[in-house]
Amino acid sequence: HAHGGAQAHSGTVSWGMAAQATLHCLTGCAIGEVLGMVIGTALGWPSMPTIALAVFLAFVFGYALTMRGVLRAGLSLAAAFKVALAADTVSITIMEILDNGVMLIVPGAMHAGLGSALFWGALAFAFLVAFLITLPINRWMISRGKGHAVVHQYHH
């Protein structure tokens, strides 16, 4: 797409397009989230520092995945970072609130240990909840030229 996001995405956005954008965001979130949870759990950290690390890494990996694509399209590092901020911040924020909230409310999940089915099951469920709730929000944002729509002009 060689035109701006707002013009390119006015009107109806397919659920497939929204799902693809949401999965892209969830991939970066999941990489950072899992890494943060694994590090915090392995080190025996309390819930809040573990969650803080997981959230930080979710943003790092979420932005990095978006930046990788737009850097290939020829943007400078600074411009790619601005695109990633515009494309992913709302989606990552919502996902992080949801998936960490689920981890906190599932009894024992945060302290179950890396070898526990409870830990991994709760984390998988948390990602599912985050995807399902973020999907319609992303669809709405893309239809208005916001969120992941700002990245589409750089895809060939």
Side-chain angles (χ1 to χ4, degrees):
H1 311 300
H3 38 282
Q7 294 79 21
H9 296 287
S10 60
T12 304
V13 174
S14 74
W15 283 103
M17 178 187 288
Q20 184 177 10
T22 304
L23 281 173
H24 179 269
C25 187
L26 184 62
T27 300
C29 284
I31 293 168
E33 189 78 24
V34 169
L35 185 58
M37 291 287 180
V38 166
I39 291 169
T41 301
L43 295 176
W45 287 3
S47 296
M48 288 304 129
T50 298
I51 288 173
L53 178 62
V55 169
F56 172 75
L57 291 175
F59 276 93
V60 168
F61 282 94
Y63 290 151
L65 285 180
T66 296
M67 289 176 64
R68 183 186 69 168
V70 295
L71 285 168
R72 282 196 303 241
L75 269 69
S76 70
L77 188 60
F81 184 65
K82 287 179 184 176
V83 168
L85 285 175
D88 296 333
T89 300
V90 171
S91 186
I92 293 172
T93 300
I94 293 166
M95 285 184 177
E96 288 305 298
I97 290 168
L98 292 167
D99 65 39
N100 284 293
V102 168
M103 289 299 289
L104 286 171
I105 64 171
V106 172
M110 288 297 296
H111 302 290
L114 299 177
S116 167
L118 174 61
F119 176 84
W120 294 105
L123 194 55
F125 178 67
F127 291 147
L128 177 64
V129 169
F131 176 83
L132 292 175
I133 294 175
T134 307
L135 174 63
I137 296 167
N138 280 341
R139 182 174 182 251
W140 180 82
M141 288 192 314
I142 293 167
S143 74
R144 282 148 184 81
K146 307 289 184 204
H148 198 75
V150 301
V151 174
H152 289 185
Q153 65 185 309
Y154 302 106
H155 292 176
H156 299 289

